[in-house]
Amino acid sequence: MADSDEPMVVEGGAGDGEWEGRWNHIQKFLERPGPFTHPDFEASSEALSGFHNIHVVDMDTIDLSNLNRQFLFRLKDVGQPKAEVAADFINTRIPGCCVVPHFKKIQDFDETFYRQFHIIVCGLDSVIARRWMNGMLLSLLVYEDGVVDPSSIIPLIDGGTEGFKGNARVILPGITACIDCTLELYPPQINFPMCTIASMPRLPEHCVEYVRMLLWPKDKPFGDTVGLDGDDPEHIKWVYQRSLERAAEFSITGVTYRLTQGVVKRIIPAVASTNAVIAAACATEVFKIASSAYAPLNNYMVFNDVDGLYTYTFEAERKDNCSACSQVPLDMRFSSSSTLQEVLDYLTESSYLQMKSPAITASVEGKNKTLYLQTVASIEQRTRPNLSKTLKELGLADGQELAVADVTTPQTMLFRLSFTS
Amino acid sequence: MAATKASKEQKYDRQLRLWGDHGQEVLENAHVCLINATASGTEILKNLVLPGIGAFTIIDGHTVLGEDVGNNFFLSQNSIGRNRAQAATELLQELNSDVSGNFVEESADQLLDNDPEFFHRFSIVIGVQLSESTRLRLGSVLWAVGVPFLVCWTYGLMGYMRLVVKEHTVIESHPDNALEDLRLDRPFSELTDHIQSYQLESMEKKDHSHTPWIVIIAKFLETWLTEHDGQPPKNYKEKEAFRQMIREGILKKENGVREDEENFEEAVKNVNTALNPTKVPSSVEDLFNSEQCTNITSQSAAFWVMLRAVKEFVLHEGKGCLPARGTIPDMISDSQRFINLQNVYRDKALQDAAAVAKHVESLLQTTGKTPETLSEKDIKLFCKNAAFLRVVHCRSLAEEYAVESVNKDEITSCMDSPDSEMVLYLMLRSVDRFYQQHSRYPGVYNYQVEEDISKLKLCVTSLLQEYNLNVSIKDDYIHEFCRYGAAEPHTVAAFLGGAAAQEVIKMVSHQFVPFNNTFIYNAMSQTSATYQL
């Protein structure tokens, strides 16, 4: 987004990519006062005429299966980075627009990057990524005497879809409910039990999971170090054949190539229409917030057009003890004879934390001590014995603060240990 | 040829998982008509071209203006001065080479004057930003020939859709939360026989712990029925007692502690749904009693012939039940037991479908239609979805607009909340009136905004009076609608574009259920409502 100090002015004349009447439709909302406008709104002819500077971050490349809905891409673009092709298309189609692409993961950038923006809009494909972005914007908040400095707030508009269902939400970090406040709205993915996959398949999906999880690592069909690549048709073909064999063994019908690919890649069906609806709703919110023309969505809308069209709009509430946005270190209650493994299980299994591979650090006798860290093999090995030790044995005291780092949040989370016995 | 088919399967993979190859085929044989390539129109078409609609034809007599390019992604600066249908067709066409794009450089009114039958060829007509008179003219032509008509209008921060179709049948409605068809309250003989083959008391632990919960509930239900005079558990107390009975059936270890038998836990959890009485849903009963089902003629659509056949089945072989659906949910069980149980239900479904097919055959014979018109596949699909069949009847525009048949009750009761979306509908109808009187929309130019407020208010009053609607509309809305100046902001047009396109896909594919019949979207509050007007 452009520098906040300078309002963007409508400029006339054909020379600079403008033409007469270009802003007619939008001007009515920016230049005319009205009964429903936001109290902060000031109608004027010197107003935003379009979003001139937009940055796009996307780590993906274009796939053929994207073309049924991702309208900025064409057949010739398959294989190219999405961010770059999208930027190109828009900059060509919309004169004066300057989209800057970044063929990167959102986690490749730090706070100096994100701080420059007025608004962040997300169309991410995982809860982890959402939580990370959520955490990043929370980490930018500046507090003065326990009150948030409004100029440090960067609104986050988040949209997501699955088939014919979708949702759009507005998050004002530090003010409204954040992603983690409503983690229960994203229930964890359910995987099939291992015994079903290994010895008691009943559904075609079980057969595919057997091949993916057990047979592939055993047979290593494309080489010792070659992992299953859901995007490689040869790999899927191999899985499909073996799944058919597995299914035949148990008289299970229904294994198809499409089903196989769907299970391996965890494919979620998608259409142009639902994405258009949610993207439009998000864009409307961006417009409202950027122009102050109307009060933004407060703060969550769900959409479903399986049967007629259904929307439900509600205010998701902040959680006082939210793992991400509440300022207070979270309470953690364990008996002093509980093991570190139990603490680890709590961090990964509790529905409101849902961490992936947390690293736990504590300050013991004035020194920072890594109690357990999974993501670096050598440290994992060294700290693994700690998992079976009790909290007392590890030298932890009642009221002690534990720092936990995890891929779900860019900032370390603080917990306060309370011994129950 | 094979390469194109394979790449189409890949391209459309994500949507084929929703409406299947058969749904895609219907889509690819459809030809939709869009009237007016405004932002709303092109956004709707974008969401039809991307999924591979067979063909589209844009009818638009307008010349592209600067303001059109300002809110329309499918027009560019060098479209200015050209016909809007032609310019938009170019940029929409390049979204998908599988689709055939056409345009007619005339207004809808001109076509209605000179060649109304031009519209008969389309699978559906989408009319965008239409004046009331054009809307009503089109509505009447299309109603007479049974071509569905979708009216769309983006007006300021409001989106409006109206579906006009006399009768639309849906076999595959894909309900979100369908009840299972387990027949535990009225087991068919093959199911009873199968259940009888189990002796829970004499099973080894491994088998006992991997017996499907359907069998468990069936077994305990048998016992309950003999102990309760043939009456199944009915109220909460009885169901609790029944659950307890099942819990008691969990194997015990030598020390008396209960084993971990997840299948029994599943059984307990599923008691409520398992005891749901098997019956024909009232919605399906209503369809059985409808005129189209009662009077099958050689003109009857396949849907009604199959429905009548199912009705006959219910009265005869089905003994009051619909044909068995044939599916069971996954449950803890060893493979063999699950597959065997599943096959019992599957075979029953096949049997029932065959019986229905016989009724179809005799119906076709008596009405002089050839049996090839309905394949075994069609009949099986119909039977599988028998409990979820839906028929949508939307009133005509004429009925909605006529004083004698206006839906006063709905409008008045909704207006009990003066900020409900219904007020937006009434404002749109008032704006129609304004246009009729002044040949323009209110507040288009800045200088008009103030003076048009009182003029629009007069239209509101006359509308309410004409329809004898005892409701009041806040002045704020009248002011707001003048402020809008008939603007068509892109983000609102895009929302409507997605919503409308999906309704078109529903209409063409006959899968999923379309709305009935008025949809209002309020972009200001991000809320919406559906009314049957």
Side-chain angles (χ1 to χ4, degrees):
Chain A
M1 300 303 286
D3 184 32
S4 56
D5 292 331
E6 303 197 18
M8 289 174 173
V9 180
V10 180
E11 293 180 9
D16 35 26
E18 293 299 336
W19 56 86
E20 202 186 306
R22 181 176 188 182
W23 309 114
N24 279 3
H25 289 278
I26 213 69
Q27 258 164 2
K28 279 140 188 154
F29 298 93
L30 299 173
E31 297 180 3
R32 298 176 174 187
F36 296 104
T37 54
H38 196 275
D40 295 344
F41 177 63
E42 280 172 32
S44 80
S45 56
E46 255 196 28
L48 235 87
S49 55
F51 297 102
H52 284 199
N53 281 358
I54 302 173
H55 287 241
V56 172
V57 179
D58 196 324
M59 61 189 240
D60 255 341
T61 55
I62 297 163
D63 183 74
L64 180 54
S65 66
N66 296 150
L67 302 184
N68 80 322
R69 63 200 185 279
Q70 294 170 23
F71 65 99
L72 300 175
F73 312 139
R74 302 288 175 267
L75 191 56
K76 62 173 173 52
D77 302 320
V78 173
Q80 299 297 318
K82 287 190 178 180
E84 292 171 12
V85 176
D88 238 356
F89 194 107
I90 297 171
N91 291 334
T92 310
R93 183 64 61 89
I94 313 288
C97 198
C98 177
V99 178
V100 179
H102 301 277
F103 176 35
K104 293 226 157 82
K105 300 206 299 282
I106 52 172
Q107 293 93 341
D108 290 337
F109 294 103
D110 64 16
E111 60 278 356
T112 51
F113 177 76
Y114 291 107
R115 216 190 285 279
Q116 69 181 293
F117 300 109
H118 292 122
I119 301 175
I120 309 254
V121 190
C122 290
L124 297 164
D125 62 359
S126 74
V127 181
I128 294 184
R130 284 183 169 84
R131 291 178 74 184
W132 189 92
M133 183 53 73
N134 183 64
M136 167 54 71
L137 297 186
L138 285 169
S139 75
L140 298 178
L141 294 177
V142 173
Y143 285 87
E144 237 114 72
D145 293 327
V147 176
V148 175
D149 171 10
S151 68
S152 67
I153 299 175
I154 300 179
L156 172 62
I157 296 166
D158 178 62
T161 68
E162 272 192 28
F164 296 122
K165 302 183 177 148
N167 61 78
R169 64 190 298 184
V170 172
I171 294 172
L172 300 172
I175 310 278
T176 63
C178 77
I179 300 282
D180 283 53
C181 290
T182 58
L183 215 48
E184 71 279 358
L185 290 175
Y186 307 101
Q189 242 184 359
I190 307 209
N191 292 314
F192 303 120
M194 227 2 172
C195 56
T196 302
I197 296 175
S199 51
M200 272 181 289
R202 297 176 295 269
L203 303 178
E205 288 83 350
H206 299 157
C207 302
V208 177
E209 285 290 73
Y210 168 81
V211 177
R212 180 182 76 87
M213 296 177 76
L214 298 173
L215 203 55
W216 181 287
K218 185 161 82 83
D219 284 6
K220 301 188 173 62
F222 290 83
D224 266 355
T225 53
V226 180
L228 172 50
D229 177 6
D231 292 318
D232 187 335
E234 291 303 309
H235 289 203
I236 299 290
K237 212 160 75 174
W238 188 90
V239 174
Y240 172 51
Q241 300 294 356
R242 298 293 164 290
S243 302
L244 280 173
E245 287 166 21
R246 174 82 170 163
E249 243 186 272
F250 293 88
S251 309
I252 296 171
T253 58
V255 173
T256 61
Y257 186 92
R258 187 177 293 162
L259 181 135
T260 303
Q261 197 181 38
V263 173
V264 171
K265 293 180 69 171
R266 299 284 196 261
I267 290 178
I268 295 175
V271 287
S273 59
T274 323
N275 285 292
V277 165
I278 296 301
C282 290
T284 294
E285 291 310 307
V286 174
F287 168 74
K288 286 183 195 168
I289 290 173
S291 66
S292 300
Y294 290 89
L297 165 65
N298 184 19
N299 55 47
Y300 201 112
M301 179 186 84
V302 302
F303 173 83
N304 183 340
D305 64 356
V306 168
D307 185 342
L309 301 111
Y310 168 81
T311 64
Y312 177 60
T313 310
F314 65 101
E315 184 180 341
E317 286 180 355
R318 267 188 97 172
K319 264 219 203 77
D320 309 315
N321 61 348
C322 174
S323 49
C325 75
S326 71
Q327 287 278 277
V328 187
L330 292 168
D331 236 1
M332 217 196 248
R333 292 169 169 271
F334 284 96
S335 146
S336 58
S337 56
S338 302
T339 61
L340 188 64
Q341 180 70 57
E342 289 174 59
V343 174
L344 191 72
D345 290 341
Y346 167 71
L347 293 171
T348 53
E349 288 165 18
S350 89
S351 68
Y352 91 107
L353 287 175
Q354 291 185 46
M355 293 193 168
K356 294 297 160 203
S357 44
I360 310 172
T361 313
S363 176
V364 179
E365 284 151 19
K367 285 197 280 226
N368 260 343
K369 181 178 171 182
T370 299
L371 297 174
Y372 182 67
L373 189 144
Q374 227 175 311
T375 50
V376 178
S378 56
I379 305 180
E380 198 279 326
Q381 255 190 332
R382 182 169 58 76
T383 55
R384 200 186 308 154
N386 288 342
L387 289 175
S388 44
K389 294 199 181 138
T390 67
L391 302 180
K392 195 161 169 217
E393 282 169 351
L394 289 167
L396 300 175
D398 188 31
Q400 170 122 36
E401 265 185 16
L402 294 179
V404 180
D406 185 56
V407 67
T408 51
T409 169
Q411 273 209 317
T412 305
M413 274 178 64
L414 289 177
F415 290 87
R416 180 170 298 117
L417 199 53
S418 287
F419 283 153
T420 54
S421 58
Chain B
M1 257 351 248
T4 359
K5 193 166 186 290
S7 66
K8 263 170 68 168
E9 272 223 40
Q10 272 184 284
K11 178 161 81 166
Y12 298 134
D13 178 82
R14 302 298 187 270
Q15 67 200 40
L16 294 174
R17 290 168 192 277
L18 290 166
W19 54 67
D21 299 307
H22 60 295
Q24 186 65 28
E25 200 185 324
V26 186
L27 222 60
E28 291 180 9
N29 288 321
H31 187 171
V32 306
C33 171
L34 169 72
I35 301 172
N36 290 332
T38 68
S40 307
T42 55
E43 288 298 318
I44 296 171
L45 273 191
K46 150 182 151 312
N47 297 317
L48 292 171
V49 171
L50 287 169
I53 198 88
F56 67 85
T57 297
I58 303 181
I59 296 171
D60 196 342
H62 290 93
T63 305
V64 178
L65 300 171
E67 70 176 26
D68 293 331
V69 184
N71 76 343
N72 194 330
F73 198 77
F74 296 94
L75 295 173
S76 62
Q77 226 178 323
N78 55 31
S79 310
I80 297 176
R82 288 164 58 200
N83 169 268
R84 200 163 62 177
Q86 187 211 22
T89 298
E90 240 171 64
L91 291 180
L92 283 165
Q93 174 73 85
E94 63 105 15
L95 284 171
N96 190 347
S97 55
D98 296 339
V99 177
S100 159
N102 312 279
F103 60 91
V104 174
E105 296 184 29
E106 278 182 59
S107 73
D109 279 306
Q110 281 172 300
L111 272 175
L112 284 165
D113 289 334
N114 304 323
D115 183 19
E117 284 175 27
F118 181 81
F119 295 102
H120 295 190
R121 76 194 65 189
F122 299 113
S123 318
I124 183 168
V125 172
I126 307 158
V128 157
Q129 317 294 89
L130 299 173
S131 70
E132 180 178 324
S133 71
T134 312
R135 206 186 304 148
L136 289 170
R137 285 184 78 191
L138 263 172
S140 138
V141 165
L142 299 173
W143 184 266
V145 289
V147 172
F149 181 30
L150 182 64
V151 177
C152 297
W153 200 354
T154 298
Y155 201 95
L157 292 181
M158 168 193 183
Y160 165 82
M161 288 202 294
R162 170 60 155 100
L163 180 64
V164 192
V165 64
K166 210 178 289 184
E167 176 182 288
H168 177 81
T169 59
V170 183
I171 297 172
E172 293 178 87
S173 59
H174 303 284
D176 257 339
N177 292 309
L179 292 174
E180 300 285 348
D181 183 24
L182 303 177
R183 304 294 168 103
L184 287 170
D185 60 327
R186 336 182 18 165
F188 44 94
S189 58
E190 294 86 346
L191 181 59
T192 309
D193 291 343
H194 185 78
I195 303 295
Q196 233 139 59
S197 71
Y198 280 85
Q199 303 299 333
L200 288 176
E201 320 73 44
S202 56
M203 286 170 93
E204 283 189 22
K205 169 158 195 317
K206 187 155 177 278
D207 300 326
H208 194 263
S209 304
H210 291 97
T211 296
W213 67 252
I214 288 179
V215 173
I216 296 173
I217 291 189
K219 274 295 192 196
F220 283 93
L221 190 58
E222 269 173 16
T223 312
W224 176 283
L225 290 173
T226 48
E227 290 172 4
H228 290 82
D229 206 25
Q231 293 304 315
K234 289 207 178 71
N235 51 43
Y236 178 77
K237 198 163 153 215
E238 288 178 357
K239 288 183 185 171
E240 252 318 295
F242 185 62
R243 284 190 200 100
Q244 194 50 34
M245 243 179 106
I246 297 174
R247 283 191 203 104
E248 308 275 303
I250 298 177
L251 289 178
K252 287 200 182 114
K253 293 203 256 253
E254 265 141 27
N255 58 10
V257 173
R258 292 217 180 274
E259 294 276 15
D260 212 354
E261 296 204 283
E262 271 186 77
N263 57 333
F264 273 76
E265 302 296 333
E266 269 192 338
V268 166
K269 246 189 4 206
N270 282 287
V271 160
N272 249 338
T273 46
L275 294 179
N276 265 329
T278 304
K279 61 178 199 275
V280 177
S282 58
S283 55
V284 180
E285 281 287 0
D286 290 341
L287 291 180
F288 284 163
N289 297 327
S290 68
E291 197 269 326
Q292 299 94 313
C293 182
T294 320
N295 301 324
I296 300 294
T297 69
S298 58
Q299 307 304 317
S300 296
F303 179 91
W304 298 107
V305 174
M306 286 192 284
L307 183 71
R308 176 60 178 274
V310 169
K311 179 179 179 180
E312 295 303 321
F313 171 87
V314 171
L315 290 171
H316 300 100
E317 301 93 333
K319 301 195 183 66
C321 297
L322 289 172
R325 198 174 311 152
T327 57
I328 56 173
D330 189 27
M331 59 192 72
I332 292 168
S333 165
D334 60 77
S335 311
Q336 194 69 68
R337 290 194 169 81
F338 180 82
I339 301 296
N340 289 345
L341 181 63
Q342 191 180 59
N343 284 337
V344 170
Y345 283 91
R346 268 191 194 168
D347 291 342
K348 176 69 169 138
L350 285 173
Q351 219 184 79
D352 287 355
V356 169
K358 286 226 158 56
H359 287 290
V360 169
E361 205 186 304
S362 79
L363 279 166
L364 291 176
Q365 265 170 10
T366 45
T367 59
K369 273 177 121 160
T370 47
E372 290 86 67
T373 48
L374 278 171
S375 71
E376 192 187 307
K377 202 163 155 211
D378 294 329
I379 296 171
K380 280 200 182 128
L381 185 66
F382 194 88
C383 289
K384 188 156 177 230
N385 286 280
F388 315 128
L389 304 169
R390 298 279 293 273
V391 179
V392 172
H393 297 283
C394 298
R395 298 209 308 164
S396 69
L397 288 176
E399 286 172 285
E400 176 186 343
Y401 285 47
V403 174
E404 325 74 84
S405 48
V406 66
N407 194 343
K408 266 183 80 170
D409 287 343
E410 177 79 328
I411 297 175
T412 325
S413 66
C414 289
M415 287 303 288
D416 277 343
S417 331
D419 298 306
S420 89
E421 281 74 20
M422 184 56 81
V423 74
L424 302 179
Y425 168 76
L426 293 171
M427 283 315 306
L428 216 57
R429 294 292 307 275
S430 307
V431 155
D432 268 340
R433 220 150 260 246
F434 188 103
Y435 185 84
Q436 259 176 348
Q437 282 171 30
H438 304 277
S439 298
R440 62 178 179 83
Y441 287 106
V444 175
Y445 296 102
N446 286 349
Y447 74 86
Q448 293 171 325
V449 181
E450 272 307 312
E451 61 188 55
D452 281 350
I453 291 176
S454 47
K455 294 199 181 93
L456 184 57
K457 186 155 186 176
L458 288 174
C459 296
V460 172
T461 315
S462 90
L463 176 83
L464 298 178
Q465 261 173 12
E466 181 178 327
Y467 288 112
N468 199 5
L469 292 165
N470 195 5
V471 302
S472 58
I473 293 181
K474 291 185 196 167
D475 282 344
D476 281 347
Y477 288 103
I478 302 176
H479 180 180
E480 184 75 349
F481 268 69
C482 282
R483 177 173 181 256
Y484 287 162
E488 191 185 7
H490 179 264
T491 63
V492 186
F495 186 104
L496 209 61
Q502 194 50 39
E503 296 309 302
V504 170
I505 291 175
K506 289 178 188 176
M507 293 301 296
V508 165
S509 67
H510 286 264
Q511 291 190 41
F512 306 94
V513 185
F515 72 109
N516 183 1
N517 54 38
T518 299
F519 175 78
I520 311 251
Y521 166 62
N522 182 344
M524 199 163 65
S525 57
Q526 298 282 25
T527 55
S528 74
T530 301
Y531 304 121
Q532 210 169 337
L533 298 176

